[in-house]
């Protein structure tokens, strides 16, 4: 079984600051780190580190060639990443002293994917394979439709959330993974977490749905019923790739034959380890640290 991450690859510029910059404020940073990121790339790294046969598809400029090299160092197949002469996606990340982050994105080549490129990528995948999608690239609707036509199972993480999410063919999705903000927006809910995920399940009854709620843990609603998973306490250094780590390890565990409950536990353990380290994909633990 192959897992294709069709998504964003970003150059992360991480500024360490005492607090998030305010309007009209000039703020000094104590450090600057340049690293590989993007939700698609982070999730691909997590899947590969969890032991999956992982493939990355997307688009970068020459300035992002190192992103491909980093993914390949984790054994991600990047033969379907297109490299052009245009600028890659960029992320400016403020990392505050209390380990929270604020992110500004520039799409770059992430939003310049062509339909012919999608057709070429998907020709290498078929029934039984999985595709993992986010909302940092264009043509997500076309990718969903074409992937489903080829028999792929779809895992979708609607992040970053915008109103265009509602226009996507979400009925094609097999596994929907949201955080509490995305979940509330999709469910049109202002209630508690339990109410939100149950509304989502009612709206998308054929899907398995997971909602992560930060320090409050995660919730599942689907064919195995309703399950709650609390967090595993870890020291928090950097939350940048916590959600991407959770997604990668949940799917890796689930397709390996673990139950939903077990998969939630392993995903929670992996994301807990990730937040105790700095950086994005380099903070993702390897499988020996999680499956033990």
């Amino acid at each position: 079984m192959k897992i294709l991450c069709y998504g964003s690859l970003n150059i992360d510029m991480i500024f360490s600051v005492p607090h998030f910059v305010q309007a009209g404020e000039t703020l000094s940073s104590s450090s600057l780190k340049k690293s590989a990121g993007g939700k698609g790339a982070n999730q691909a790294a997590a899947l590969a580190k969890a032991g999956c046969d992982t493939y990355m598809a997307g688009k970068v400029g020459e300035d992002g060639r190192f992103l491909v090299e980093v993914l390949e160092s984790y054994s991600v197949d990047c033969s379907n990443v297109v490299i052009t002469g245009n600028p890659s996606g960029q992320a400016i990340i403020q990392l505050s002293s209390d380990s929270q982050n604020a992110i500004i994105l520039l799409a770059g080549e992430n939003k310049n994917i062509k339909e012919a490129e999608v057709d070429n990528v998907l020709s290498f995948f078929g029934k039984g394979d999985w595709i993992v999608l986010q909302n940092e690239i264009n043509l997500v609707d076309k990718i969903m439709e074409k992937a489903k036509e080829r028999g792929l199972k779809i895992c979708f993480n609607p992040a970053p959330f915008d109103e265009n999410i509602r226009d996507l063919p979400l009925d094609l999705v097999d596994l929907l993974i949201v955080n509490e903000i995305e979940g509330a927006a999709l469910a049109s809910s202002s209630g508690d977490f339990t109410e939100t995920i149950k509304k989502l399940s009612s709206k998308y009854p054929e899907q398995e749905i997971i909602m992560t709620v930060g320090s409050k843990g995660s919730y599942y609603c689907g064919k195995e019923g309703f399950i709650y998973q609390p967090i595993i306490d870890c020291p928090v250094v950097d939350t940048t790739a916590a959600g991407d780590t959770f997604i990668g390890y949940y799917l890796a565990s689930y397709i390996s034959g673990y139950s939903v409950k077990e998969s939630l536990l392993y995903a929670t353990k992996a994301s807990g380890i990730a937040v105790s380290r700095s950086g994005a994909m380099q903070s993702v633990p390897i499988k020996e640290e999680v499956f033990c």
Side-chain angles (χ1 to χ4, degrees):
M1 179 189 300
K2 295 184 285 189
I3 302 181
L4 169 65
C5 281
Y6 209 141
S8 57
L9 300 98
N10 287 333
I11 300 171
D12 285 353
M13 304 297 288
I14 305 168
F15 295 82
S16 295
V17 292
H19 58 265
F20 297 154
V21 67
Q22 304 297 307
E25 180 182 21
T26 299
L27 192 62
S28 295
S29 172
S30 60
S31 68
L32 169 63
K33 294 180 181 178
K34 177 181 176 181
S35 66
K39 286 190 173 296
N42 291 342
Q43 291 172 20
L47 284 158
K49 286 187 173 186
C52 295
D53 185 15
T54 308
Y55 297 75
M56 183 74 211
K59 211 164 185 177
V60 296
E62 284 289 344
D63 58 344
R65 188 177 288 273
F66 82 96
L67 302 173
V68 173
E69 294 170 353
V70 171
L71 284 172
E72 289 177 338
S73 74
Y74 300 137
S75 299
V76 177
D77 185 311
C78 293
S79 57
N80 287 303
V81 176
V82 177
I83 300 177
T84 75
N86 300 319
S88 299
Q90 311 276 333
I92 296 175
I93 302 173
Q94 297 180 67
L95 180 62
S96 66
S97 58
D98 61 353
S99 302
Q100 297 302 306
N101 62 65
I103 303 172
I104 300 172
L105 292 176
L106 175 69
E109 284 294 77
N110 291 318
K111 289 290 182 79
N112 197 27
I113 294 170
K114 310 299 184 187
E115 195 164 344
E117 294 167 354
V118 173
D119 292 335
N120 179 64
V121 169
L122 293 179
S123 69
F124 297 101
F125 301 88
K127 188 175 182 180
D129 294 332
W130 279 84
I131 184 168
V132 180
L133 297 167
Q134 315 79 32
N135 194 38
E136 288 184 342
I137 61 173
N138 63 314
L139 296 183
V140 173
D141 53 346
K142 296 295 183 183
I143 296 172
M144 284 183 175
E145 291 164 358
K146 292 173 182 289
K148 188 59 68 171
E149 287 172 2
R150 297 190 65 84
L152 279 74
K153 294 183 178 180
I154 300 173
C155 172
F156 181 51
N157 171 218
F161 189 89
D162 59 40
E163 288 305 311
N164 293 328
I165 295 290
R166 303 180 191 279
D167 297 326
L168 295 175
L170 296 180
D171 56 306
L172 302 180
V173 173
D174 297 279
L175 173 61
L176 179 67
I177 304 181
V178 299
N179 65 22
E180 69 270 32
I181 297 171
E182 298 149 4
L186 263 181
S188 299
S189 170
S190 58
D192 63 20
F193 303 138
T194 301
E195 177 188 339
T196 296
I197 194 168
K198 287 184 176 180
K199 279 189 173 182
L200 280 176
S201 185
S202 176
K203 191 172 184 178
Y204 305 108
E206 301 302 315
Q207 296 179 10
E208 293 187 90
I209 300 172
I210 295 173
M211 186 171 72
T212 60
V213 291
S215 62
K216 300 295 192 297
S218 57
Y219 295 82
Y220 164 92
C221 199
K223 64 183 180 182
E224 293 194 25
F226 181 84
I227 301 171
Y228 169 67
Q229 171 63 50
I231 64 163
I232 297 173
D233 282 330
C234 291
V236 178
V237 173
D238 183 356
T239 61
T240 302
D244 299 326
T245 301
F246 183 98
I247 290 167
Y249 265 90
Y250 177 82
L251 185 56
S253 302
Y254 186 67
I255 67 175
S256 296
Y258 290 104
S259 68
V260 166
K261 188 174 180 61
E262 292 169 324
S263 299
L264 286 173
L265 177 61
Y266 286 129
T268 301
K269 182 178 179 181
S271 60
I273 295 171
V275 301
S276 70
R277 302 167 176 171
S278 62
M281 62 183 71
Q282 66 266 38
S283 72
V284 180
I286 58 175
K287 62 182 180 179
E288 289 80 8
E289 297 177 273
V290 178
F291 300 116
C292 59

